[in-house]
Amino acid sequence: MSEQTLESGAHVAGSSGDALLVVDDVTLRFGGVVALNEVAFEIRRGEILGLIGPNGAGKTTCFNVMTGVYTPTSGEIRFDGDRVSGVKPHRINAMGIARTFQNIRLFPEMTAMENVMVGADARHKTSVMGTLFRLYRVKAKEHELPDNPLKRSLAKVFGISRHTLEERAGRQKSMEMLRFVGIADRAHELARNLPYGYQRRLEIARALATEPKLLCLDEPAAGFNPAEKADLMNLIRKIRDKGQTVLLIEHDMKLVMGVTDRLVVLEFGQKIAEGLPEEVARNPKVIAAYLGEPDDAAQA
Amino acid sequence: MDFNALFGDLGGHTLDGLTKGSVYALVALGYTMVYGVLRLINFAHSEVFMVGTWTVLGVYTVLGADDTSGMGMVIFATLAALVAAVVASASVALAVERIAYKPLRKKNAPPLIFLITAIGCSLVLVEIFGHVLRFFFGPPFGRAPVNVPSPIQTVVLLDVGGVRITNVQVFIVVGAILMMVALDQFVNKSRLGRGVRAVAQDADTAALMGVNQDRVIMLVFVLGGAMAGVAALLYTIAFDLTKFDIGFIIGIKAFTAAVLGGIGNLRGALVGGLLLGIVEVYASTVFNSSWADVTAFIVLVLVLMFKPTGLLGESLGKARA
């Protein structure tokens, strides 16, 4: 016990105690390969935390452990006080963690709108039977009644099924999300036909639709030009201002330095630094591992 | 070769083909939906259909419905048989998934293991009806074909230029198409359907977006089973019989229909089923009835040679045919 206290005391020095997600000495082995070696850090409520490191440092692996794709060999992840390790992916989503992917993984044969609605559906309550038979009726409010006169009088007598109301609410919410990320103009096109920048932002909209407390973005700016990157930085700040916590994996140093509150640096599956962006940029270990020549670091 | 026989009553033969094809198409949906989500050919699905036909027989026997029944009894018995067959088939489909496939999925078994398991389930179900139930209850269970009484009397509704359309044909074709449209709408428009398509397109991502994969899998087995139950009722109305291994040849035909239309594609199952039914009836008219199966598979081979993904292409995710 004393060992544990010492350890955690060491790495959470200066912690506000308001941790949303705690990565507690997580080790992950694939056979003989150690992908993550006793990685420990925390994400505080309401912050934008950057997770950086050279290629193959274990950033995406760390992500995958946090979203339940892999179960750690030892150590654990706690989200809002609950263990994440070993919980099924869709339950982790329900706990309040959503993510995007380094290589875009939309549902290509669905429209942008439908993609977001899959996310929104995660928060719906109607059961399988309720959807099939629509027996759970709710008394309809005036503005919820359909326009068609026959359907209108039926709805007045029998009420509206909860499925219909939730479906409508989900549609509205999804449209809001599309507007929020700025791609509402092509809501009804198939995801695979959307331009690259739209697809990236659609992934963010879909993740936001699940109403996460923590949004994890895996290299959201990959392939963006400077103007698009600036837009994305604004979007990430807007997400944080809505009260959501953001974890950002990113290669682009300018973007990371400009938008994050704190940084965690990984190298070869180990944490080598943690702190404010300016501190980390001055850390000689980080400069050696990641930023290359000191001149470059100063510029970043 | 007797082309006169075919062209002499082309309309009538086409109608027969559509009737047969409707049953194939409904059974094909079960193969196609499970394949779309799990990439698994569920060979036990043919026995899901077989159980449905026995359920229909059971309901008729219990209610005492036969060709002498009055109108009220006919309607009641048919509806009761429909509900019972749907429930029985869906339950068997779900039981196969829970008992046989789910434990394999938990252990990440390779695809071949699933395939062998599917064949095993099929054999077990066949032998339950061909042997086990006979041992306990005697006939009608066993290996002999059993007559299913048909409360619905065949009546010619319309005579369009010599083509006689019967009530049974209309009932079957319209019934099958209605079920198909309902299923298509469900998959394309409802929340659960969206979940099914999401899992079919990218299962891991869907799970991370909060889709309960297990529930989606149960749903496709139940829906596929329910369609097989409807098919079982329609089949017994048209052909008045069942048998312990009746699922075998229907299952193979339905599987062929699914592949023909593009496995994983709901509308493909409809197109494939109807086409297969028509081709079979034409071939058995031009040559003789023993050529029905041969021709069906020749068509399959030809289509796959030139369009290996089937007529409408694979993909449950891509429900827009």
Side-chain angles (χ1 to χ4, degrees):
Chain A
M1 179 198 149
S2 61
E3 200 186 355
Q4 227 179 356
T5 325
L6 267 180
E7 268 254 327
S8 57
H11 68 70
V12 291
S15 151
S16 59
D18 195 18
L20 180 62
L21 183 135
V22 179
V23 179
D24 193 357
D25 291 336
V26 166
T27 299
L28 180 70
R29 288 198 193 86
F30 296 107
V33 182
V34 182
L36 294 174
N37 190 4
E38 296 188 2
V39 173
F41 62 89
E42 60 177 40
I43 304 174
R44 295 170 200 162
R45 220 174 283 274
E47 75 173 347
I48 301 176
L49 179 75
L51 185 62
I52 64 172
N55 270 326
K59 302 184 300 281
T60 298
T61 311
C62 190
F63 234 56
N64 282 338
V65 173
M66 285 160 55
T67 50
V69 176
Y70 302 132
T71 306
T73 317
S74 70
E76 67 174 23
I77 311 256
R78 283 188 305 276
F79 182 77
D80 240 355
D82 296 321
R83 261 185 86 118
V84 168
S85 322
V87 179
K88 284 185 179 172
H90 77 270
R91 295 295 313 155
I92 290 178
N93 179 280
M95 288 165 75
I97 305 180
R99 65 169 295 182
T100 66
F101 300 86
Q102 189 176 348
N103 41 346
I104 297 173
R105 285 174 67 176
L106 291 164
F107 304 119
E109 305 294 343
M110 289 191 199
T111 65
M113 182 75 167
E114 286 177 319
N115 265 277
V116 183
M117 285 180 81
V118 170
D121 290 341
R123 299 287 87 86
H124 283 190
K125 291 183 184 64
T126 315
S127 65
V128 173
M129 286 301 155
T131 308
L132 285 173
F133 299 110
R134 319 275 160 98
L135 291 178
Y136 190 114
R137 316 296 291 193
V138 189
K139 195 170 183 313
K141 298 187 187 75
E142 186 60 31
H143 69 274
E144 290 168 347
L145 290 170
D147 292 331
N148 177 318
L150 177 66
K151 286 185 180 171
R152 197 181 175 86
S153 36
L154 281 177
K156 272 184 180 160
V157 179
F158 297 109
I160 294 181
S161 77
R162 187 165 74 178
H163 176 269
T164 310
L165 285 181
E166 283 195 339
E167 185 79 6
R168 206 179 291 166
R171 201 172 290 277
Q172 275 167 9
K173 182 168 121 187
S174 303
M175 202 54 176
E176 265 168 43
M177 289 302 153
L178 288 170
R179 258 186 233 121
F180 181 75
V181 301
I183 59 172
D185 54 323
R186 300 176 80 163
H188 300 292
E189 276 181 54
L190 290 187
R192 67 180 157 90
N193 294 339
L194 292 174
Y196 180 79
Y198 273 62
Q199 292 190 349
R200 283 241 170 255
R201 280 183 281 174
L202 177 54
E203 274 210 323
I204 297 177
R206 182 178 65 178
L208 284 175
T210 68
E211 296 175 4
K213 292 177 196 156
L214 172 66
L215 176 68
C216 305
L217 302 171
D218 195 349
E219 294 197 21
F224 273 12
N225 64 34
E228 288 172 321
K229 278 177 184 166
D231 278 353
L232 183 72
M233 281 167 72
N234 282 331
L235 179 62
I236 294 173
R237 285 197 199 98
K238 262 164 65 188
I239 293 168
R240 194 259 311 270
D241 293 345
K242 286 202 310 179
Q244 277 156 321
T245 308
V246 180
L247 171 68
L248 176 68
I249 289 188
E250 190 48 66
H251 266 321
D252 188 282
M253 287 310 294
K254 205 170 161 191
L255 190 121
V256 171
M257 293 294 165
V259 77
T260 55
D261 299 317
R262 287 192 313 128
L263 282 179
V264 169
V265 190
L266 292 180
E267 191 195 16
F268 301 124
Q270 271 173 312
K271 186 178 84 174
I272 58 167
E274 178 177 358
L276 300 174
E278 311 85 65
E279 289 171 13
V280 168
R282 284 196 301 268
N283 186 323
K285 260 168 137 182
V286 177
I287 295 168
Y290 186 74
L291 297 174
E293 297 300 307
D295 287 357
D296 290 347
Q299 192 192 337
Chain B
M1 271 202 268
D2 186 1
F3 283 101
N4 289 336
L6 176 61
F7 292 113
D9 186 15
L10 191 62
H13 292 310
T14 307
L15 212 55
D16 282 344
L18 288 176
T19 312
K20 236 181 171 179
S22 301
V23 175
Y24 295 158
L26 280 177
V27 179
L29 288 174
Y31 287 102
T32 245
M33 295 222 312
V34 168
Y35 180 86
V37 168
L38 289 182
R39 299 288 178 273
L40 158 74
I41 308 293
N42 177 19
F43 279 113
H45 188 62
S46 50
E47 271 53 64
V48 168
F49 167 82
M50 180 269 291
V51 171
T53 59
W54 285 94
T55 309
V56 173
L57 174 65
V59 170
Y60 287 168
T61 312
V62 168
L63 294 177
D66 55 28
D67 47 8
T68 60
S69 302
M71 190 59 163
M73 183 59 168
V74 169
I75 293 172
F76 176 69
T78 308
L79 282 179
L82 176 69
V83 172
V86 163
V87 170
S89 290
S91 308
V92 171
L94 187 61
V96 168
E97 138 66 15
R98 295 274 96 174
I99 296 168
Y101 301 144
K102 196 189 172 196
L104 294 179
R105 263 203 317 281
K106 278 201 157 171
K107 294 189 171 143
N108 277 324
L112 213 54
I113 305 292
F114 279 93
L115 208 63
I116 296 294
T117 306
I119 294 171
C121 289
S122 169
L123 287 175
V124 166
L125 286 166
V126 164
E127 289 309 324
I128 283 178
F129 279 80
H131 193 84
V132 178
L133 287 178
R134 179 184 161 86
F135 180 79
F136 286 109
F137 302 107
F141 299 111
R143 307 190 102 76
V146 184
N147 179 53
V148 180
S150 52
I152 298 180
Q153 293 309 298
T154 308
V155 182
V156 175
L157 289 181
L158 271 175
D159 193 322
V160 188
V163 180
R164 289 185 300 175
I165 304 172
T166 68
N167 58 343
V168 168
Q169 285 169 329
V170 170
F171 186 73
I172 289 173
V173 176
V174 172
I177 289 176
L178 277 181
M179 292 310 294
M180 295 260 179
V181 171
L183 185 66
D184 191 81
Q185 285 296 304
F186 178 77
V187 168
N188 274 315
K189 295 280 161 65
S190 79
R191 172 176 72 103
L192 291 169
R194 235 175 354 252
V196 171
R197 282 185 293 147
V199 173
Q201 287 176 35
D202 187 340
D204 294 338
T205 304
L208 290 169
M209 293 305 138
V211 178
N212 184 344
Q213 223 170 332
D214 230 29
R215 196 164 69 176
V216 164
I217 291 170
M218 289 203 291
L219 184 71
V220 295
F221 274 92
V222 166
L223 286 177
M227 293 295 155
V230 176
L233 174 74
L234 299 181
Y235 180 85
T236 54
I237 289 174
F239 301 104
D240 298 344
L241 91 155
T242 184
K243 202 177 166 213
F244 76 110
D245 65 351
I246 195 171
F248 181 71
I249 197 73
I250 304 259
I252 289 194
K253 292 286 176 58
F255 176 57
T256 307
V259 174
L260 193 59
I263 190 150
N265 186 323
L266 291 181
R267 294 173 195 179
L270 177 66
V271 171
L274 295 181
L275 190 70
L276 197 68
I278 292 174
V279 166
E280 266 189 44
V281 172
Y282 283 0
S284 48
T285 314
V286 173
F287 308 105
N288 60 51
S289 57
S290 60
W291 280 79
D293 297 353
V294 180
T295 323
F297 290 105
I298 290 174
V299 169
L300 178 70
V301 169
L302 285 177
V303 169
L304 292 189
M305 270 171 73
F306 296 105
K307 203 160 183 314
T309 54
L311 292 172
L312 299 188
E314 294 175 13
S315 165
L316 180 60
K318 183 163 51 181
R320 293 161 193 79

